[in-house]
């Protein structure tokens, strides 16, 4: 908590209180900037500011730009980094509203009656989504917050169930947000009517030709457009349920839900009440320094009125936040112009505009390519000598946008028309980007800055896209410049003569992918052969497991025979998971999480007989902890006899396929998710990969199996299955992305076969699917072209590899148990196999045994349950 | 860490003794296993019948009896063993930890007598 009176005096009396009203993206950026830069005073003391953020919504600041993702998935939109909130001098009070500001006394009053004094105050109150004052307006909804979006999603699902037909939704507003809302609702299965007062969609950003092209593309997605009119009345029945919307053109649209997304209204009411100057059309007036008319009061983001208008885009909001942070810390940064460049994907349609997109300046030339039949529209606006780039619009194919936008206001090196890819069908002409051109407008990162990070001017050189993004912050917000950042990275590395080292370790100068291909083509089968042909030295704990995994992926041979045992990583070597004291945990496979009471009883009995600590895993399985190496064969003999197989929790391989109970029991399920999960788990069990991977199968869109948090997520639809790829939990969570929709069982399996094999062949070692796809040039689009369109002509080969795996699968523990030579690898001591592996004291806690802590071991009062009560190998039963 | 395996130490016959561990052909190449010698757990690594290493089976960092289950390899010219728990890498000959300065793994001289591996430990 800041303002703690008991803070040590080292914090100094010079600490000042910064209060930010509003907890949206602008506030987050300001706090992040202060957090990272406010490191010392002129006197050399600690940070200068204690920061309190008053956030009305019950959430930490989240990414409002990505609301549409929340509409169609459970995405966590919390803005990164979250580290500022951990600081003890930064506090965010969520669910708290400011009710008054006294600029004389420098105090903010809060809804709970308390107040907080400030040295500096920043308005980041954002805006609200207005609903026009028409009859029945109280029945309309808006699209602005997480709560709004969650409500809309639940309603669309509920209404569909209630009526036994798709929900009918009328969306008013054909701008950015309205189109996003309409697209998302349509993806959820709603029948969407889009009502827009302008003559064409996105009339604020696009000219008529582009708007028409966009309209055709949007109409093709099944959304019905009503242009040049607006809602006059929302009709509802006696119970307040929406029945229809009457339009100005006298048409009446039957509707179950009405959503208004017709613009933004600055939340300037507190400022007005406090006597701070606001604009004619609303918004707190700021200058280039982002100060308001009141001393020590600033405004940033959508609520700020700069040069007569407010802007609802994230890039200007971030830029203002940076200006205020700089000025609070003694700098003199200025906010000089609003960058209103926009790029987005609406219902799968690329749209981008930047600069003087409509060509409204004097003496400008427009170079246009329009293909109405294909819904393509590309336009560049240039100076009358056709040299200086002034703006542009792209609909249907926005490929040139990311490279051209940084060149706004600069001379083009080639003929303008050569940049219109839709016309030529070629890649956009190569552009020489000057250092001071902006590559990421959201985070204000220039081309030069990106280059500096690649060269290592700011610490370690960033030689891969992921680290370059996270260090430079370019491409981390809206993501539209990522491909350009990638190009700059490649150019810089090539120019510097740096070959990006993909060497696995000192023994292999080549990447895992290259080793994989060489092993496959040369038909190599042993480590000595492989390191002899492709590497040098004797190997290590990095390349040996990697080679073992490659061999296991290509041949379904037992992983410990023929010298392979010594290559295996810690867990694979014992076919069990080593715990911190050197004992092991055992995880039997429970396909799809379905298990009979009889099998449960066997697990219970084994755990009880061997004194194993038992815990349910996150993957719908049961983990038995505390087994000694020499006990593993006996434990597994009982499990195998009862029909269990290895769950391969120890392998870089398929773990589990998590499923919900599906249509068999669930009132909402539309497909048999359990049967599909079992089918998939049995198909891919034992398949070794560069990293462990998990599946999820959900029986309906409610997604109870959390399939989108898995490497492969399968979600039932009325028509079949949606296939998602590239999700994971863990250290760096990622949501899976939609690869294909409404697949039948057979196609689904075929696509998964191809996807997994393509991943196994081409990923780096220990690279999870999410990271792999992120680094593939083209990302998910490339994956789609390989998996679905078979553009590389690999599909048949990938499927054949998978067929060979499925054919050759054998349970590793059953294979171990039937061979005395293999069992020898589990002996405690070569010279004393009867003597149990030593050193596993246990203490009791909550009715189970666990390893003692260091403190407990040192404490003579600790009651240790020692080894001998646990059966020694051969001693049990 | 009472013993430094030098020829000088050999001369001091009162302090060390050679113990029979197991036949050479009990070990798979590069697949470590533990032996129990006078109550002490020792990890044996056979690179070839002419090149056999013995170290303490107790992980110096984690204090767990696991070193035999690590991966044998090399760093430059030095033969190494990586702890299976947290992957610290040790020089198999000297016991020096190459990844965490200051950490040492106890090592023991080995020899083969009549097809049997012997390890020299303090008596």
């Amino acid at each position: 908590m800041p303002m703690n009176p008991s803070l040590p005096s080292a914090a100094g009396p010079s600490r000042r209180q910064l209060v930010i009203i509003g907890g949206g993206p602008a506030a987050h950026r300001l706090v992040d900037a202060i957090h990272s830069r406010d490191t010392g005073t002129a006197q050399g003391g600690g940070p200068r500011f204690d920061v309190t953020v008053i956030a009305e919504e019950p959430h930490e600041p989240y990414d409002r730009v990505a609301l549409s993702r929340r509409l169609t998935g459970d995405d966590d939109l919390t803005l990164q980094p979250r580290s500022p909130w951990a600081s003890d001098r930064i506090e965010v009070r969520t669910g708290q509203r400011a009710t008054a500001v006294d600029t004389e006394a420098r105090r903010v009053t809060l809804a709970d009656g308390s107040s907080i004094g400030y040295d500096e105050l920043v308005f980041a109150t954002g805006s609200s989504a207005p609903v026009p004052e028409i009859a029945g307006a109280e029945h309309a909804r808006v699209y602005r917050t997480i709560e709004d979006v969650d409500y809309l999603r639940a309603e669309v699902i509920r209404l569909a169930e209630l009526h036994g037909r798709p929900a009918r939704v009328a969306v008013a507003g054909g701008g950015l947000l309205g189109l996003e809302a309409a697209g998302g609702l349509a993806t959820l299965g709603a029948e969407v009517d889009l009502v827009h007062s302008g003559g064409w969609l996105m009339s604020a950003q696009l000219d008529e030709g582009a708007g028409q092209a966009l309209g055709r593309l949007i109409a093709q997605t099944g959304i019905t457009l009503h242009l040049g009119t607006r809602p006059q009345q929302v009709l509802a029945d006696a119970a307040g349920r929406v029945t229809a919307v009457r339009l100005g053109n006298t048409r009446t649209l039957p509707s179950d839900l009405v959503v208004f997304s017709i613009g933004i209204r600055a939340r300037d009411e507190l400022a007005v009440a406090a006597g701070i100057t606001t604009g004619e059309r609303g918004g707190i007036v700021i200058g280039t320094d982002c100060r308001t008319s009141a001393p020590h009061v600033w405004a940033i983001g959508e609520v700020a009125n700069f040069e007569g208008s407010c802007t609802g885009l994230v890039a200007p909001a971030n830029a203002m936040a940076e200006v205020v942070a700089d000025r609070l810390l003694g700098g003199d940064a200025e906010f000089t112009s609003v960058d209103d460049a926009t790029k987005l994907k609406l219902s799968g349609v690329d749209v981008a505009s930047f600069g003087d997109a409509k060509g409204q300046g004097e003496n400008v030339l427009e170079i246009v390519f329009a293909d109405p039949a294909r819904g393509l529209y590309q336009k560049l606006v240039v100076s009358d000598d056709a040299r200086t780039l002034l703006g542009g619009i792209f609909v249907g194919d926005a490929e040139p946008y990311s490279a051209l936008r940084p060149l706004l206001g600069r001379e083009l090196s080639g003929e303008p028309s050569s940049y219109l890819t839709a016309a030529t069908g070629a890649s956009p002409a190569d552009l020489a980007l000057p250092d001071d051109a902006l590559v990421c407008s959201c985070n204000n990162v220039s081309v030069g800055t990106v280059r500096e990070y690649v060269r290592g001017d700011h610490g370690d050189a960033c030689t891969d896209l992921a680290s370059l993004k996270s260090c430079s912050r370019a491409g981390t917000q809206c993501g539209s410049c990522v491909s350009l950042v990638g190009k700059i990275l490649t150019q810089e590395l090539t120019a510097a003569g740096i070959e990006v080292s993909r060497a696995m370790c000192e023994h292999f100068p080549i990447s895992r992918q290259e080793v994989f291909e060489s092993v496959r083509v040369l038909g190599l089968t042993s480590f000595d052969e492989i390191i002899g042909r492709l590497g040098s030295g004797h190997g290590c704990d990095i390349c040996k497991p990697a080679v073992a995994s490659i061999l296991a992926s290509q041949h379904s041979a037992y992983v410990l025979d023929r010298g392979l045992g010594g290559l295996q990583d810690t867990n694979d070597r014992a076919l069990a998971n080593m715990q911190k004291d050197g004992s092991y945990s055992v995880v039997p496979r429970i396909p799809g999480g379905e298990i009979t009471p009889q099998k449960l009883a066997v697990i219970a009995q084994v755990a009880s007989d061997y004194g194993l600590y038992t815990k349910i895993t996150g993957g719908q399985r049961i983990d038995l902890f505390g087994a000694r190496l020499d006990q593993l064969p006996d434990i597994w003999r009982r499990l195998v006899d009862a029909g269990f197989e290895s769950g391969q929790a120890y392998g870089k391989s398929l773990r589990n396929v998590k499923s919900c109970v599906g249509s068999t029991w669930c009132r909402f399920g539309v497909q048999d998710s359990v049967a599909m999960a079992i089918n998939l788990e049995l198909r891919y069990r034992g398949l070794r990969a560069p990293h462990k991977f998990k599946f999820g199968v959900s029986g309906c869109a409610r997604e109870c199996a959390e399939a989108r948090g898995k490497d492969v997520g399968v979600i039932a639809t009325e028509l079949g299955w949606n296939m998602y790829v590239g999700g994971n939990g863990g250290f760096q969570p990622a949501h899976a992305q939609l690869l294909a929709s409404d697949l039948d069982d057979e196609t689904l399996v075929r696509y998964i076969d191809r996807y997994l094999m393509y991943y196994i062949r081409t990923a780096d070692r220990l690279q999870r699917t999410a990271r792999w796809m992120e680094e593939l040039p083209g990302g998910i689009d490339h994956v789609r072209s390989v998996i679905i369109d078979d553009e590389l002509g690999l599909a048949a080969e990938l499927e054949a590899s998978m067929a060979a795996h499925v054919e050759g699968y054998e349970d590793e523990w059953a294979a171990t148990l039937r061979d005395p030579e293999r069992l020898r690898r589990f002996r405690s001591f070569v010279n004393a196999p009867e003597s149990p592996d030593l050193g596993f004291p246990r203490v009791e806690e909550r009715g189970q045994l666990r390893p003692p802590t260091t403190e407990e071991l040192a404490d003579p009062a600790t009651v240790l349950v020692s080894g001998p009560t646990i059966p020694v190998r051969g001693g049990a039963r | 860490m009472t013993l430094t395996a030098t020829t000088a130490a050999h001369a001091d016959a009162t302090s060390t003794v050679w113990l029979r561990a197991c036949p050479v052909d009990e070990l798979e190449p590069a697949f470590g296993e533990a032996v129990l010698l006078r109550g002490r757990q020792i990890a044996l690594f056979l690179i070839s019948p002419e090149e056999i290493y013995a170290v303490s089976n107790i992980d110096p960092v984690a204090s767990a009896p696991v070193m035999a289950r690590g991966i044998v390899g090399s760093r430059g010219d030095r033969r190494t063993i990586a702890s299976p728990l947290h992957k610290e890498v040790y020089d198999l000959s000297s016991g020096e930890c190459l990844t965490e300065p200051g950490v040492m793994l106890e090592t023991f001289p080995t020899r083969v007598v009549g097809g049997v591996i012997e390890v020299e430990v303090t008596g």
Side-chain angles (χ1 to χ4, degrees):
Chain A
M1 295 290 119
M3 303 300 288
N4 185 337
S6 68
L7 274 179
S9 61
S14 60
R15 290 279 279 269
R16 304 172 67 207
Q17 177 67 42
L18 169 64
V19 173
I20 303 169
I21 307 180
H28 177 265
R29 171 50 64 91
L30 176 56
V31 169
D32 185 31
I34 295 270
H35 177 62
S36 53
R37 284 188 230 152
D38 182 16
T39 50
T41 66
Q43 296 83 40
R48 280 166 279 188
F49 284 100
D50 287 317
V51 185
T52 302
V53 179
I54 312 295
E56 192 173 43
E57 291 187 59
H59 310 280
E60 250 178 48
Y62 59 87
D63 187 3
R64 216 181 283 287
V65 178
L67 272 182
S68 61
R69 293 212 317 261
R70 176 82 176 195
L71 192 55
T72 50
D74 270 324
D75 289 24
D76 176 10
L77 305 182
T78 308
L79 279 168
Q80 302 293 336
R82 297 190 53 217
S83 48
W85 311 124
S87 162
D88 59 3
R89 56 188 184 82
I90 296 175
E91 179 193 15
V92 56
R93 298 195 193 170
T94 53
Q96 181 65 271
R97 203 159 53 83
T99 53
V101 171
D102 182 338
T103 57
E104 291 292 315
R106 292 205 213 162
R107 283 204 91 72
V108 178
T109 309
L110 305 181
D112 63 4
S114 67
S115 70
I116 177 167
Y118 67 80
D119 295 301
E120 301 290 338
L121 177 68
V122 178
F123 277 94
T125 42
S127 46
S128 58
V131 175
E133 291 175 5
I134 58 172
E138 69 275 17
H139 304 300
R141 312 295 305 196
V142 296
Y143 180 82
R144 170 78 193 169
T145 65
I146 283 187
E147 278 66 33
D148 294 336
V149 167
D150 286 353
Y151 172 84
L152 292 177
R153 184 161 76 140
E155 272 298 278
V156 165
I157 293 169
R158 188 187 69 83
L159 288 165
E161 273 160 14
L162 182 71
H163 298 305
R165 56 156 174 81
R168 296 176 183 137
V169 187
V171 176
L176 290 175
L177 282 176
L179 279 164
E180 263 188 31
L185 292 164
T187 305
L188 282 177
E191 276 175 13
V192 179
D193 287 292
L194 183 62
V195 184
H196 182 55
S197 58
W200 58 89
L201 295 176
M202 287 181 69
S203 37
Q205 290 86 7
L206 303 183
D207 63 11
E208 181 165 5
Q212 301 284 6
L214 177 61
R216 267 186 297 275
L217 292 171
I218 295 293
Q220 280 169 15
T221 69
I223 294 172
T224 310
L225 300 181
H226 307 269
L227 300 173
T229 186
R230 59 184 76 193
Q232 292 286 346
Q233 185 182 3
V234 179
L235 305 168
D237 64 14
R241 290 183 294 249
V242 171
T243 56
V245 185
R246 197 166 54 75
L247 303 184
N249 62 8
T250 70
R251 273 201 65 181
T252 299
L253 305 173
S255 304
D256 307 316
L257 192 58
V258 179
V259 183
F260 276 90
S261 191
I262 54 174
I264 55 171
R265 178 182 295 151
R267 292 281 306 272
D268 57 7
E269 64 274 10
L270 275 182
V272 171
I276 296 168
T277 306
T278 52
E280 236 171 79
R281 287 183 292 161
I284 302 171
V285 173
I286 59 165
T288 54
D289 52 6
C290 294
R291 288 181 199 273
T292 69
S293 62
H296 304 287
V297 181
W298 316 69
I300 58 176
E302 292 181 339
V303 75
N305 179 324
F306 181 73
E307 294 181 343
S309 60
C310 299
T311 311
L313 293 173
V314 71
N318 284 342
M320 291 177 196
E322 296 285 347
V323 166
V324 171
D326 183 70
R327 289 196 168 249
L328 287 176
L329 299 174
D332 56 3
E334 290 203 333
F335 181 81
T336 49
S337 66
V338 172
D339 178 354
D340 56 1
T342 312
K343 175 170 187 280
L344 70 166
K345 213 179 188 83
L346 297 164
S347 308
V349 180
D350 281 321
V351 184
S353 81
F354 67 101
D356 180 12
K358 293 189 185 179
Q360 288 163 328
E362 280 181 28
N363 298 326
V364 300
L365 296 178
E366 297 190 353
I367 294 109
V368 179
F369 173 84
D371 181 344
R374 288 196 293 154
L376 286 175
Y377 184 91
Q378 296 187 326
K379 177 174 91 172
L380 290 189
V381 180
V382 294
S383 58
D384 57 359
D385 60 359
R387 301 178 75 142
T388 307
L389 179 63
L390 299 174
I393 297 180
F394 300 92
V395 173
D397 174 3
E399 168 76 23
Y401 166 84
S402 65
L404 279 170
R405 198 196 55 77
L407 294 174
L408 183 63
R410 295 164 191 276
E411 268 195 22
L412 292 171
S413 48
E415 283 291 312
S417 60
S418 66
Y419 300 107
L420 300 183
T421 50
T424 61
S427 303
D430 251 345
L431 296 164
L433 294 169
D435 271 346
D436 59 341
L438 207 56
V439 51
C440 172
S441 59
C442 295
N443 290 329
N444 197 28
V445 184
S446 69
V447 172
T449 306
V450 171
R451 287 180 176 143
E452 288 165 15
Y453 278 101
V454 177
R455 290 194 298 258
D457 296 358
H458 304 280
D460 284 346
C462 300
T463 53
D464 64 274
L465 189 55
S467 68
L468 182 57
K469 276 170 62 185
S470 101
C471 293
S472 70
R473 304 184 65 154
T476 54
Q477 198 131 10
C478 78
S480 68
C481 64
V482 170
S483 67
L484 184 59
V485 175
K487 273 182 203 152
I488 297 173
L489 173 66
T490 314
Q491 283 172 358
E492 278 307 294
L493 292 176
T494 314
I498 299 172
E499 209 163 310
V500 189
S501 173
R502 309 289 288 185
M504 284 206 301
C505 61
E506 70 172 72
H507 307 104
F508 284 88
I510 53 178
S511 69
R512 177 196 175 274
Q513 181 185 350
E514 290 163 311
V515 174
F516 189 102
E517 280 311 301
S518 304
V519 167
R520 195 173 68 84
V521 172
L522 299 173
L524 307 177
T525 56
S526 79
F527 182 77
D528 289 345
E529 241 183 328
I530 292 169
I531 199 166
R533 293 284 286 271
L534 310 172
S536 62
H538 303 284
C540 64
D541 56 303
I542 291 167
C543 59
K544 279 185 166 180
V547 167
S549 163
I550 288 169
L551 288 171
S553 294
Q554 297 189 11
H555 313 280
S556 302
Y558 182 76
V559 296
L560 303 180
D561 281 350
R562 299 178 303 109
L564 296 176
L567 307 179
Q568 302 294 348
D569 220 337
T570 308
N571 294 342
D572 277 300
R573 175 188 155 118
L575 307 178
N577 292 49
M578 186 185 279
Q579 301 302 318
K580 65 182 194 179
D581 61 353
S583 68
Y584 289 90
S585 79
V586 171
V587 183
R589 187 169 296 289
I590 300 179
E594 182 188 78
I595 185 165
T596 63
Q598 291 74 18
K599 283 177 120 178
L600 266 180
V602 171
I603 291 182
Q605 196 58 50
V606 167
S608 177
D609 288 352
Y610 286 86
L612 304 177
Y613 169 90
T614 310
K615 190 169 187 316
I616 310 286
T617 71
Q620 303 187 331
R621 317 206 276 190
I622 299 173
D623 211 338
L624 311 172
F625 289 82
R628 302 190 310 260
L629 180 69
D630 57 283
Q631 288 176 319
L632 293 173
D634 296 328
I635 290 171
W636 270 106
R637 193 172 301 284
R638 289 178 58 181
L639 293 171
V640 168
D641 285 350
F644 285 105
E645 291 185 348
S646 170
Q648 258 148 349
Y650 48 80
K652 306 265 180 280
S653 56
L654 175 70
R655 295 295 170 84
N656 62 302
V657 180
K658 182 172 180 176
S659 73
C660 66
V661 76
S663 59
T664 314
W665 289 92
C666 179
R667 286 185 290 136
F668 305 112
V670 295
Q671 303 282 354
D672 187 352
S673 50
V674 176
M676 177 54 78
I678 294 173
N679 174 26
L680 295 176
E681 184 154 348
L682 297 183
R683 182 170 183 81
Y684 303 113
R685 64 188 163 178
L687 177 65
R688 282 186 159 76
H691 196 288
K692 72 174 175 189
F693 59 99
K694 299 183 178 183
F695 279 35
V697 181
S698 277
C700 79
R702 282 179 179 71
E703 241 283 72
C704 295
E706 298 168 328
R708 290 196 61 202
K710 309 294 181 207
D711 298 275
V712 176
V714 177
I715 301 178
T717 68
E718 296 282 353
L719 302 174
W721 307 96
N722 282 354
M723 176 177 167
Y724 292 83
V725 292
N728 61 250
F731 181 61
Q732 264 189 316
H735 271 95
Q737 306 173 64
L738 183 64
L739 186 80
S741 306
D742 297 326
L743 304 174
D744 58 36
D745 290 11
E746 192 194 326
T747 311
L748 172 70
V749 168
R750 203 163 64 232
Y751 285 176
I752 299 176
D753 279 3
R754 296 175 184 178
Y755 178 77
L756 289 178
M757 273 301 165
Y758 189 52
Y759 162 64
I760 288 169
R761 280 199 182 183
T762 60
D764 224 335
R765 63 175 274 278
L766 303 185
Q767 190 175 43
R768 247 188 133 149
T769 54
R771 213 20 123 66
W772 166 65
M773 295 202 336
E774 196 175 298
E775 291 212 347
L776 275 179
I780 179 108
D781 292 334
H782 169 76
V783 171
R784 203 174 277 125
S785 75
V786 175
I787 305 307
I788 298 177
D789 307 329
D790 193 17
E791 283 185 8
L792 299 183
L794 274 177
E797 200 178 313
L798 297 172
E799 285 175 36
S801 301
M802 189 62 81
H805 161 76
V806 174
E807 180 72 18
Y809 168 80
E810 183 185 20
D811 171 35
E812 283 168 348
W813 267 108
T816 305
L817 292 170
R818 62 175 162 68
D819 185 338
E821 285 300 309
R822 292 173 177 170
L823 283 171
R824 272 162 37 118
R825 300 194 181 99
F826 296 87
R827 58 193 168 184
S828 52
F829 300 104
V830 184
N831 63 339
E834 306 313 319
S835 179
D837 195 355
L838 311 166
F840 301 115
R842 294 284 181 258
V843 294
E844 202 174 312
E845 185 174 62
R846 296 186 293 274
Q848 298 208 70
L849 300 179
R850 64 158 173 83
T853 62
T854 324
E855 292 74 32
E856 284 168 339
L857 269 181
D859 183 354
T862 303
V863 180
L864 293 178
V865 183
S866 62
T869 62
I870 303 171
V872 177
R873 183 163 173 203
R877 9 194 72 213
Chain B
M1 217 79 39
T2 53
L3 177 81
T4 311
T6 62
T7 40
H10 289 196
D12 185 2
T14 56
S15 64
T16 66
V17 58
W18 285 98
L19 298 175
R20 292 165 67 87
C22 66
V24 179
D25 55 16
E26 278 284 332
L27 296 182
E28 283 180 63
F31 186 89
E33 290 203 69
V35 291
L36 192 60
L37 296 177
R38 293 204 177 162
R40 193 186 328 222
Q41 296 192 46
I42 290 174
L44 292 183
F45 302 94
L46 179 141
I47 307 300
S48 70
E50 292 73 43
E51 190 178 359
I52 298 168
Y53 296 93
V55 303
S56 167
N57 193 36
I58 310 297
D59 183 320
V61 175
S63 303
V66 296
M67 291 309 294
R69 300 172 216 165
I71 292 178
V72 177
S74 66
R75 291 280 192 280
D77 296 336
R78 307 162 89 170
R79 287 284 183 181
T80 58
I81 176 69
S83 160
L85 280 168
H86 293 299
K87 311 290 160 93
E88 296 89 2
V89 176
Y90 300 89
D91 184 320
L92 268 177
S93 300
S94 68
E96 181 193 349
C97 183
L98 306 180
T99 53
E100 300 239 345
V103 177
M104 285 295 286
L105 175 68
E106 192 175 5
T107 60
F108 306 92
T110 63
R111 68 184 186 195
V112 176
V113 178
V116 173
I117 301 170
E118 293 187 351
V119 180
E120 188 183 34
V121 300
T122 47

